[in-house]
Amino acid sequence: MFDTLLSHPESHTRRHQNWTQTYKIRADRLIADELMLPAGLTVIDAVKAAGLWDVTDDVDLILIPNDLKTALQSLPFAFDNFSGFSPSSRRNTLRWIKTAKHL
């Protein structure tokens, strides 16, 4: 499944994307089970070489960057609203902000 995706001709797009914790867990499992295809290993090596392997670790842990935390805390209703989001919604919001900052 995931290894098939990575062997697909369009898998080059995964080389230029941040890898979330769920992608890394799947990749580790496929490698441990000896199911990862060489194309998948090549993509992982390229992602690591590009510095994209660990770029969203803070997002996966839902760590709010200081500048965002300061901005949210300046408006208590905003901080309360953000804090009330589900973990996946907070992660998606943080990932979106981080990606926007680094474009």
Side-chain angles (χ1 to χ4, degrees), residues 15-59:
R15 295 177 195 204
H16 305 291
Q17 294 178 347
N18 302 327
W19 276 49
T20 65
Q21 183 180 26
T22 55
Y23 290 150
K24 292 187 276 189
I25 289 170
R26 279 187 223 136
D28 288 343
R29 187 177 61 233
L30 287 168
I31 292 167
D33 293 344
E34 298 181 3
L35 297 172
M36 181 66 77
L37 296 177
L41 294 171
T42 300
V43 169
I44 290 170
D45 289 342
V47 166
K48 288 180 178 179
L52 299 173
W53 186 256
D54 297 319
V55 114
T56 60
D57 285 354
D58 56 339
V59 170

